[in-house]
Amino acid sequence: MTSLKNQNPRKKVQVSMVICDAEEKKHRSGVNAVQLDPHLDRLYSAGRDSIIRVHQHEKFIHGMEHHTDWVNDIVICCGGRNLISASSDTTVKVWNAYKGFCMSTLRTHKDYVKALAYAKDREHVASAGFDKAIYLWDINTLTALTASNNTVTTSSLTGCKESIYSLAMNPPGTVIISGSTERGLRIWDPRTCGKICKLKGHTETVKALVISRDGTQCISGSSDGSIKVWNIGQQRCIQTIIVHTDSVWALLVNESFTYLISGGRDKKVIMTDLKNIQNTILVCTEEAPILKMCFTADQQGVWVSTSSSTVRCWKLPTELHFKDDISFLSNQQISVIPGDAAIIKATVLNDKRHILTKDSAENVALYDVLRACRVQELGPVNYINEINTRNSEKLMYVPNWFNLDLKTGMLAIHLGQDEVDCFSAWVSAKEAGIKDHPEPDFKVNYGKLLLQALFEHWRGVQTDQENKVYFSVPRHIPLILRYISRKLIFI
């Protein structure tokens, strides 16, 4: 049986798994990004549960599961053939959008990758995040990468001094803009990687950006609640729009740059006439803060993703004379892609094998770590009472041997994390529920049992009779390997 020890003594390997269903058709947590392929009328949504999902007319097509943390942004490129994704696992990934498989992984960033920008005419994409770096990629080069030929060359734009939250690039790829915690906009020419200017005016982090096709104007949304329109050539703010009562996190503009759609923490989607910013109309009020938006194929509606797991499509007014348009009523929902509940609480029971959880729909469930599955649905019972009852039924002491987190809305189990010894939990075969063991009092190790189950089907790993696999985990359970001293390595 393999162990967690590594050839390099300075590096510690962490093994993780995510307890999930065989096919996760619904988002389990907030949806950070949405993109529409207008040619196939397919909607791509990127979730905090680490999964990118593809829908067509509300029907789930397939999921794209290869990231190990939040997916923060996505872009559809190459006429819909490929998709680029950015994640908090520090990677940028290139996908075959039609078939849903990951073609290559870019590990250039050193921290969370928060934003992408796409120059459609040149097939270039830029990525940026918390490492304060912006990288410019040639998509045609990225899609040609293979396992044996994966050397990536990229251009870098330097000068950012703080974490980057937003990024924009015009279709011809002549201007790129970043927004960050330094409360300003930095502008470059991506063709030369040279700086153009820095625009100041916001008082909080710039969370959203859009740019005109000719690169002469851009619009920024900030946590200070304001939206600003900038003339890039004149390097100044020409309009300030105050229509939200809280942070502005999402912006969308039509190609002719005549109207703006904005959303944010106040849960409102508002449409503004850029020719007369006094003309505004409420498109809808969502149930949660708004994170991202995209147009429908006919641009008569807008898909809205929020910090909840449900994605909705809302009708837009057909006229720009908003004050005169008394026929339009807000909250005209066209369609909805329902999400699923996220696990929001989890308690490891006394036996250090079972976990009791509570989700955002108030339902309680019991999970078995050794079998990596949900073993009982208890419904909306009292969570605290259930913990106390189950712990009082089984009075035993077992050391902590794993860590867990709920960042993705699912149970993630980590072995070898922090100072917790994954080989510390010894129990009798009887206590572990191994009925066919010849010696009921024989001591078994939970960490070893789980590793055996996780690596049971691993290529080249063999077990003898002494190391018999007594537990099996479903084949679909994601297995993740990390070097603690480095960034993610996963399978």
Side-chain angles (χ1 to χ4, degrees), residues 146-181:
T146 64
S148 59
N149 179 23
N150 55 10
T151 302
V152 182
T153 57
T154 181
S155 301
S156 61
L157 285 68
T158 58
C160 288
K161 298 180 180 180
E162 296 191 38
S163 298
I164 298 170
Y165 278 85
S166 53
L167 206 60
M169 185 161 48
N170 63 330
T174 58
V175 177
I176 188 167
I177 307 173
S178 67
S180 70
T181 52

Side-chain angles (χ1 to χ4, degrees), residues 8-59:
N8 189 335
R10 294 175 299 175
K11 295 176 181 177
K12 183 180 179 183
V13 177
Q14 176 185 303
V15 178
S16 303
M17 68 175 181
V18 180
I19 303 179
C20 58
D21 294 335
E23 191 174 40
E24 292 282 345
K25 294 185 177 183
K26 297 180 180 181
H27 284 291
R28 293 288 197 102
S29 190
V31 182
N32 286 332
V34 284
Q35 284 277 295
L36 186 85
D37 177 0
H39 305 291
L40 296 178
D41 200 14
R42 284 187 173 183
L43 183 75
Y44 293 78
S45 55
R48 292 180 175 180
D49 57 12
S50 80
I51 301 172
I52 303 166
R53 291 173 176 81
V54 189
H55 296 86
Q56 190 160 30
H57 305 301
E58 302 183 9
K59 180 184 177 182

Side-chain angles (χ1 to χ4, degrees), residues 70-81:
W70 288 14
V71 183
N72 296 314
D73 206 359
I74 53 175
V75 296
I76 299 290
C77 53
C78 305
R81 294 191 308 275

